[in-house]
Amino acid sequence: MVQRVVLDALLPDQIEIALAAANQLEQESRQLERQWALRVERARYEAERARRQYDAVEPENRLVARSLERAWEEKLRAVEAVEQEHARWRGQEPLLIGPVERAGLQALGENLPQIWNAATTSAADRKRILRFVIREVVLDQKRIRGQVWLKIVWQTGATSEHHVQRRVHTYRNYIDIDRLRQRIVDLNAEHKMDAEIAAILNQEGFVAARGCAFKGENVWLLRTRWGIPTVKINGVDQNPMRWPDGSFSIQGAAAELGLTAQTVFDYLARGLLTGRQLAKGQPWQIELSDEQISQLRHRVRRTKRSKKEAS
């Protein structure tokens, strides 16, 4: 995440914008520096004036001398306080960028992607690049459920805030669980299969728990957990004996041929019956001509007779 932000921030056009902003900051900093210089100069002048007054008093005038000495000490403390405040201000001021630094930054922006991704660039080199442009990164994983919030403090003193979806282990902490659930409901209602739903979710930018892409199994698990039933191809819970196109369901083929449903599945596996599914998990649609029905009924009677004679 930080790597992507840095690479985006150091594109040549972004660097030009940053340098223009740095120029403004530098001008403002120079104005403030002049104001601080005047404050420090004034405090030192007052202290020097108090020292001269103390030196000018007659030694025998002890009362006046002690009063002037205290005034001198107060002025010296005032000088020290102003100088310390000035030093703190300087420490908090943005980094001023000179001509050499400007040229270096512009060259870095033009070459950084190649440098960053080069096989010769080590992890230590990348860390040095990050330290060159970033002063501090603050992370907060509790601000928004399912997100990691980042605050980047750049070396210029500027700050930027970003967020990225957390890699969660359970959907309880998923950032956009309500929208994810509604999307699965909508796609399921459009007769999309689990694998199709997973592909659409991935295209739309959804990420499954643990940061991986959605698969049909993920969608099936969520549908089961949320009680979202598979939409039947005939739009009802119970499969009919025959579908609108004339094909038979498992139950219809079993009744037509005098078999059990399990035997129909066995015939499909052995190639004795031909059928199709819109997708795995959807009902079978079995094609049966009158000739096939007659042949298979004869086969079933012959098989039953053989078993009876053998017993």
Side-chain angles (χ1 to χ4, degrees):
M1 172 64 183
V2 173
Q3 166 189 327
R4 179 170 56 80
V5 171
V6 169
L7 291 176
D8 289 346
L10 292 182
L11 290 172
D13 57 341
Q14 293 297 319
I15 289 178
E16 289 297 331
I17 294 172
L19 288 175
N23 285 337
Q24 181 65 32
L25 288 173
E26 190 171 351
Q27 291 175 9
E28 294 175 0
S29 181
R30 287 199 180 102
Q31 292 175 357
L32 290 172
E33 180 64 41
R34 284 194 292 269
Q35 294 176 17
W36 275 108
L38 289 173
R39 286 185 61 187
V40 172
E41 183 181 354
R42 180 66 180 176
R44 288 173 178 170
Y45 170 78
E46 294 290 343
E48 178 61 20
R49 181 183 177 188
R51 184 192 66 78
R52 290 197 303 268
Q53 290 177 337
Y54 172 75
D55 289 344
V57 71
E58 294 294 335
E60 60 270 15
N61 197 344
R62 296 177 182 177
L63 184 60
V64 174
R66 281 197 298 269
S67 176
L68 292 174
E69 185 178 20
R70 284 195 298 271
W72 180 26
E73 291 174 351
E74 288 175 2
K75 297 299 182 182
L76 289 174
R77 285 194 293 269
V79 171
E80 184 179 4
V82 171
E83 289 176 341
Q84 289 177 352
E85 289 178 21
H86 185 201
R88 282 195 296 269
W89 172 81
R90 276 186 168 175
Q92 295 171 356
E93 271 297 275
L95 180 69
L96 298 183
I97 301 174
V100 175
E101 288 82 2
R102 290 174 191 275
L105 277 173
Q106 289 169 331
L108 181 63
E110 294 171 358
N111 301 313
L112 183 59
Q114 294 85 352
I115 295 172
W116 187 277
N117 295 309
T120 54
T121 303
S122 66
D125 294 331
R126 295 186 180 96
K127 288 180 180 179
R128 280 194 287 270
I129 292 173
L130 292 178
R131 285 196 295 268
F132 179 70
V133 295
I134 292 178
R135 184 186 304 173
E136 183 182 14
V137 177
V138 181
L139 297 179
D140 186 347
Q141 301 187 54
K142 298 181 179 180
R143 175 174 294 199
I144 301 176
R145 184 184 70 177
Q147 283 189 353
V148 177
W149 173 85
L150 302 93
K151 178 180 179 181
I152 298 178
V153 182
W154 301 87
Q155 289 291 3
T156 59
T159 62
S160 60
E161 296 187 6
H162 313 269
H163 61 81
V164 64
Q165 182 173 329
R166 289 177 56 192
R167 179 178 294 185
V168 296
H169 293 284
T170 66
Y171 285 95
R172 182 175 63 253
N173 297 322
Y174 194 83
I175 180 175
D176 209 1
I177 193 68
D178 294 332
R179 192 165 70 91
L180 172 63
R181 178 174 180 172
Q182 187 58 51
R183 194 69 183 110
I184 292 177
V185 168
D186 293 342
L187 292 171
N188 185 67
E190 294 174 11
H191 297 251
K192 303 291 186 185
M193 299 299 103
D194 291 343
E196 292 180 281
I197 294 174
I200 293 171
L201 293 176
N202 292 331
Q203 291 171 3
E204 294 179 352
F206 288 95
V207 179
R210 301 180 183 273
C212 60
F214 272 101
K215 297 181 180 179
E217 294 84 348
N218 303 116
V219 176
W220 177 86
L221 176 65
L222 290 173
R223 283 198 306 99
T224 303
R225 179 179 300 173
W226 292 333
I228 304 172
T230 301
V231 176
K232 301 294 184 179
I233 58 176
N234 64 327
V236 298
D237 290 337
Q238 189 63 37
N239 293 333
M241 301 301 275
R242 298 187 73 167
W243 302 109
D245 64 357
S247 61
F248 289 81
S249 66
I250 292 291
Q251 295 84 354
E256 188 71 24
L257 300 174
L259 300 171
T260 64
Q262 185 56 49
T263 303
V264 174
F265 281 117
D266 180 58
Y267 277 19
L268 286 166
R270 293 162 59 187
L272 297 175
L273 286 174
T274 302
R276 64 184 183 277
Q277 293 172 289
L278 292 180
K280 186 177 180 180
Q282 281 287 291
W284 282 92
Q285 295 173 265
I286 301 170
E287 299 293 344
L288 281 174
S289 66
D290 292 340
E291 183 180 355
Q292 284 179 302
I293 292 172
S294 178
Q295 290 175 351
L296 289 170
R297 281 178 176 173
H298 179 69
R299 177 189 179 90
V300 169
R301 286 195 298 269
R302 189 174 65 247
T303 301
K304 288 181 177 179
R305 187 166 56 249
S306 298
K307 288 182 178 179
K308 185 176 180 181
E309 290 174 353
S311 62

